Amino acid sequence: DFIWFGNVQNLFSIFLEWMKVHVIAGSFACLGMFVLATIICIPSTILILGSGFIYTEAYGMGMGIYIATVSCFLGCCLGAVFAFVRARYMTRDLIKLFAKRYHIVNRLDSALKEKGFQVMLLLRLSSVVPFNVLNYIGGVTGI
């Protein structure tokens, strides 16, 4: 909010009203906002609540919740994939450099290589590590 000089709430309400008028284009815009929010590590809770509200206003309770759920799910999944790929191919070399210097990073990386599925599943189910950060953790380690 500091960067936008206190206009984030105003811009968000304008975006939600635009989504209400332009439902199909708003669906793609909502999907893009979820992808962008996931990539730059912004919590998507406000977008989830806002899209649920807007879609129930536009389509009614049943269909609106269905469309909002599908849109939120697809946006978060696409954002997670993009964040993972970004971390894997842009910062993996940096992690290898840190592993040479700091042995704890090397141990963490090897532990995630050995039992990566179990560790990532437990981390996804817990609320200790945020969803967006886990995408990058998965990308920079050797899973």
Side-chain angles (χ1 to χ4, degrees):
D1 205 21
F2 176 72
I3 296 172
W4 298 94
F5 304 108
N7 293 324
V8 171
Q9 186 176 7
N10 187 28
L11 292 173
F12 185 70
S13 65
I14 290 170
F15 176 68
L16 290 179
E17 289 298 321
W18 179 81
M19 275 181 60
K20 193 185 291 187
V21 174
H22 304 95
V23 179
I24 294 175
S27 297
F28 288 108
C30 182
L31 189 86
M33 292 292 286
F34 272 103
V35 169
L36 183 66
T38 304
I39 288 173
I40 60 176
C41 290
I42 294 175
S44 57
T45 307
I46 302 286
L47 280 173
I48 291 170
L49 295 173
S51 65
F53 174 74
I54 292 299
Y55 288 124
T56 54
E57 288 285 318
Y59 289 113
M61 185 64 76
M63 191 62 159
I65 289 176
Y66 176 74
I67 293 173
T69 302
V70 169
S71 148
C72 294
F73 179 75
L74 288 176
C76 286
C77 285
L78 284 174
V81 168
F82 288 147
F84 178 84
V85 169
R86 178 181 171 203
R88 173 61 51 108
Y89 295 110
M90 291 179 74
T91 57
R92 181 70 184 150
D93 294 334
L94 182 64
I95 295 301
K96 287 181 182 177
L97 179 67
F98 280 143
K100 288 180 185 176
R101 277 194 190 157
Y102 306 106
H103 297 290
I104 188 84
V105 174
N106 195 14
R107 289 185 200 134
L108 176 67
D109 191 29
S110 64
L112 282 170
K113 279 182 187 176
E114 291 173 15
K115 296 187 178 189
F117 178 76
Q118 293 172 347
V119 172
M120 288 303 283
L121 179 68
L122 290 173
L123 286 173
R124 286 276 186 208
L125 293 175
S126 76
S127 61
V128 175
V129 181
F131 168 76
N132 298 335
V133 174
L134 261 169
N135 301 325
Y136 287 103
I137 289 173
V140 297
T141 58
I143 292 180

